[in-house]
């Protein structure tokens, strides 16, 4: 039943029946599934005309910050089909949202994905800066691992 409701919600979004799609998503009892559906809805809404309010509401339903930034990357991919400006704006929003990511591994994964999209959107200077930041994050992770190993050796 849950899978069916998910499918119906996404299909309604594709048909332009955003209010009903959002209503069904809100009724999902499982928070993770509800978040997944809202993510899928945001991806559908982004290519629809005059859907900014629906996009915003769907993104509010994506509670996990890591999932939200990856949803924004996906939205950027979809938006690129209709508007490079909208695609770039979504990338910039993803960058702003990613500032609150606390897990270094999630931030590295996001940065890798962001970098490739920045190159695809002719944002080469931004992509280079993102790549440099990603390398720095990887170094930080490696350094933390080495400090942990040293600490265990001294115990």
């Amino acid at each position: 039943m849950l899978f069916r409701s998910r499918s119906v919600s996404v299909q309604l979004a594709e048909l332009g029946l955003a209010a009903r799609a959002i209503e069904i998503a809100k009724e999902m009892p499982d928070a993770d599934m509800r978040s997944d559906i809202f993510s899928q809805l945001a991806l559908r809404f982004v290519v629809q005309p005059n859907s900014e309010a629906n996009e915003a509401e769907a993104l509010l339903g994506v509670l996990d910050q890591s999932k939200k930034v990856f949803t924004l990357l996906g939205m950027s991919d979809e938006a690129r089909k209709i508007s490079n400006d909208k695609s770039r704006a979504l990338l910039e929003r993803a960058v702003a949202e990613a500032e609150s990511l606390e897990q270094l591994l999630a931030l590295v994964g996001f940065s890798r994905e962001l970098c490739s999209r920045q190159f695809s959107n002719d944002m080469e200077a931004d992509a280079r800066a993102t790549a440099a930041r990603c390398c720095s994050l990887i170094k930080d992770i490696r350094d933390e691992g080495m400090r942990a190993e040293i600490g265990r050796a001294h115990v």
Side-chain angles (χ1 to χ4, degrees):
M1 180 64 178
L2 292 177
F3 178 76
R4 185 172 176 206
S5 295
R6 176 183 183 160
S7 177
V8 168
S9 181
V10 171
Q11 288 174 352
L12 288 169
E14 290 171 348
L15 293 171
L17 302 170
R20 183 66 181 128
I22 290 170
E23 182 181 323
I24 290 172
K26 286 180 179 178
E27 293 171 358
M28 296 302 294
D30 181 73
D32 289 335
M33 185 170 280
R34 190 170 45 248
S35 186
D36 287 344
I37 293 171
F38 277 120
S39 178
Q40 291 296 312
L41 293 179
L43 293 172
R44 300 315 189 279
F45 294 149
V46 75
V47 293
Q48 296 176 359
N50 305 315
S51 64
E52 290 80 11
N54 296 330
E55 291 170 34
E57 188 167 359
L59 277 172
L60 285 174
V62 182
L63 302 179
D64 178 72
Q65 192 63 16
S66 180
K67 184 173 202 57
K68 185 176 285 190
V69 296
F70 282 98
T71 297
L72 285 162
L73 290 177
M75 290 172 69
S76 173
D77 293 343
E78 292 297 314
R80 191 163 186 244
K81 297 173 185 175
I82 57 172
S83 167
N84 283 339
D85 290 340
K86 186 169 187 174
S87 178
R88 287 184 185 115
L90 286 163
L91 286 178
E92 290 169 6
R93 179 166 178 201
V95 169
E97 292 279 344
E99 292 300 321
S100 65
L101 289 178
E102 295 178 7
Q103 294 181 342
L104 289 179
L105 286 176
L107 197 50
V108 167
F110 167 75
S111 297
R112 289 179 56 218
E113 293 295 323
L114 174 65
C115 185
S116 68
R117 284 164 174 86
Q118 287 171 324
F119 270 116
S120 296
N121 278 293
D122 298 322
M123 301 167 71
E124 291 181 18
D126 291 332
R128 283 188 183 87
T130 299
R133 181 172 183 222
C134 188
C135 289
S136 176
L137 288 168
I138 291 169
K139 181 185 176 305
D140 291 347
I141 291 170
R142 189 180 65 219
D143 290 348
E144 282 184 19
M146 291 177 96
R147 280 193 297 271
E149 286 294 320
I150 291 169
R152 282 194 291 262
H154 285 55
V155 173

